[in-house]
Amino acid sequence: MKKEKRVIQVIIKSGLITWVLLLLIWQTGSLFYSDDFLPGPVTTFEGAGKLVASGELFRDILISMQRVLKGWLLGGNRLSDLHIKTLL
């Protein structure tokens, strides 16, 4: 009896039930809409697997990181602030 309570407590504390419920709600909601509007978790994970397998996901992440870094460098350093202030 104590072992069963421990297992239940571990499951509850780990958040497993929450994740399962969220996936079920997501899957149920996707049944009422097209995949273009609300793809289900299975479709989403299949697509993510294809992107990882082809290497596209990592390439796109690197491109996004480059854009963020460029924007941060252009917008976040003192030299750009001084240059913009002199133009105003």
Side-chain angles (χ1 to χ4, degrees):
M1 187 70 173
K2 288 184 180 181
K3 189 174 185 178
E4 291 174 358
K5 285 185 179 181
R6 279 187 177 172
V7 170
I8 292 171
Q9 288 176 348
V10 168
I11 290 173
I12 291 172
K13 287 181 181 178
S14 71
L16 182 63
I17 293 173
T18 303
W19 285 106
V20 169
L21 285 174
L22 285 173
L23 287 172
L24 285 173
I25 291 168
W26 181 8
Q27 181 62 42
T28 303
S30 71
L31 296 175
F32 299 103
Y33 298 99
S34 70
D35 277 349
D36 292 333
F37 182 71
L38 181 65
V42 173
T43 306
T44 301
F45 293 135
E46 285 175 354
K50 289 177 186 175
L51 289 173
V52 169
S54 69
E56 286 182 68
L57 181 63
F58 300 113
R59 186 198 69 203
D60 291 346
I61 288 173
L62 285 175
I63 291 170
S64 294
M65 289 174 63
Q66 286 175 346
R67 290 177 179 170
V68 168
L69 183 62
K70 288 176 185 176
W72 180 77
L73 289 173
L74 288 172
N77 62 31
R78 290 279 188 200
L79 292 175
S80 66
D81 289 345
L82 293 173
H83 182 67
I84 291 171
K85 286 179 184 176
T86 58
L87 291 175
L88 297 176

